[in-house]
Amino acid sequence: MTRSADLRSLLERPVLEVAPRLLGAVLRHGDVACRLTEVEAYDGAHDPGSHAYRGPTPRNAVMFGPAGHLYVYFTYGMHWCANVVCGVEGVASAVLLRAGEIVEGHETARARRTAARTDRDLARGPARLCQALAIGRDQNGHDLTSAPLTLEPASAPPRAVRTGPRVGLRDAADRPWRFYLPDEPTVSTYRPASRLRSRS
DNA sequence: GCTCCGATTATCT
DNA sequence: GATAATCGGAGCG
């Protein structure tokens, strides 16, 4: 069985099964590689937190396509965030890549992330991860079985997985669909939306 | 470690 | 016109 078939069979499962299995996987873009430590599940049409909740739009089109492609969106006027599309085609589920540990290409990642004062901060947060890996508009829709931007699944499921509310959403607490590895310094700190200054 | 706050614009209503 | 799956810096402890 080929590596790309392995990836596809893993990602075509329901998103709540896929998300924890992506912990420990390695996202590689050229000479920079990142081991994922924190992700979030977004369940398409059934999930008010998902960009696909209100149906297809030009922005979210990639999510309705086949598993294994990258859905990249722009937010807060300046940041890019990346998701791995999963589930069968037509089901708009995806896993947001929230944080990871840079395991190769530190020099390149540091040059892109000049605000990071320690290596821990290189990919701690979804927009930081994208900046460290040079993921932006041009990578939206990219097939992750195709070099130079690839996803290499972990050989085995993680030994332990923690869950919690998703970050930055209104009504985040109702679905504990954030998954992260215990005792990893690169996992981002949880900031509930209710304490963000969104209400004023 | 924490809290507050401004930056900046594509996207959708 | 309002909002957003965020970040970095300042100030505090």
Side-chain angles (χ1 to χ4, degrees):
Chain A
M1 187 181 273
T2 66
R3 191 175 269 296
S4 61
D6 279 346
L7 180 65
R8 192 154 312 253
S9 63
L10 169 65
L11 297 181
E12 280 179 350
R13 322 243 351 125
V15 65
L16 292 181
E17 295 179 28
V18 174
R21 282 299 309 265
L22 292 186
L23 296 174
V26 172
L27 182 67
R28 180 184 299 277
H29 192 187
D31 64 333
V32 179
C34 179
R35 172 179 156 265
L36 302 178
T37 56
E38 179 186 4
V39 300
E40 281 174 2
Y42 286 86
D43 192 18
H46 308 290
D47 178 4
S50 169
H51 289 168
Y53 183 58
R54 293 169 202 282
T57 68
R59 174 174 73 160
N60 66 27
V62 172
M63 274 202 284
F64 289 84
H69 290 243
L70 208 54
Y71 165 52
V72 183
Y73 69 91
F74 185 67
T75 193
Y76 288 102
M78 63 193 95
H79 297 302
W80 298 94
C81 298
N83 299 247
V84 174
V85 175
C86 61
V88 297
E89 190 163 356
V91 171
S93 59
V95 177
L96 172 69
L97 307 180
R98 278 205 60 85
E101 174 197 8
I102 299 298
V103 291
E104 282 177 46
H106 293 84
E107 293 288 310
T108 305
R110 287 181 198 124
R112 292 175 180 152
R113 290 269 309 115
T114 53
R117 288 191 301 279
T118 69
D119 284 358
R120 177 173 96 119
D121 285 341
L122 288 174
R124 185 171 66 127
R128 292 161 166 179
L129 186 153
C130 282
Q131 193 178 2
L133 290 175
I135 291 171
R137 161 166 280 139
D138 292 348
Q139 283 68 42
N140 188 35
H142 175 81
D143 178 354
L144 288 168
T145 62
S146 171
L149 178 53
T150 58
L151 181 64
E152 303 159 13
S155 47
R159 248 190 296 100
V161 174
R162 300 251 257 253
T163 64
R166 293 178 293 182
V167 177
L169 297 187
R170 302 179 181 291
D171 306 321
D174 58 343
R175 296 174 198 215
W177 289 355
R178 173 178 179 243
F179 300 86
Y180 56 100
L181 295 175
D183 305 316
E184 291 282 346
T186 56
V187 170
S188 64
T189 52
Y190 174 59
R191 295 182 300 279
S194 58
R195 287 198 214 135
L196 269 37
R197 30 167 212 105
S198 37
R199 71 268 155 74
S200 70

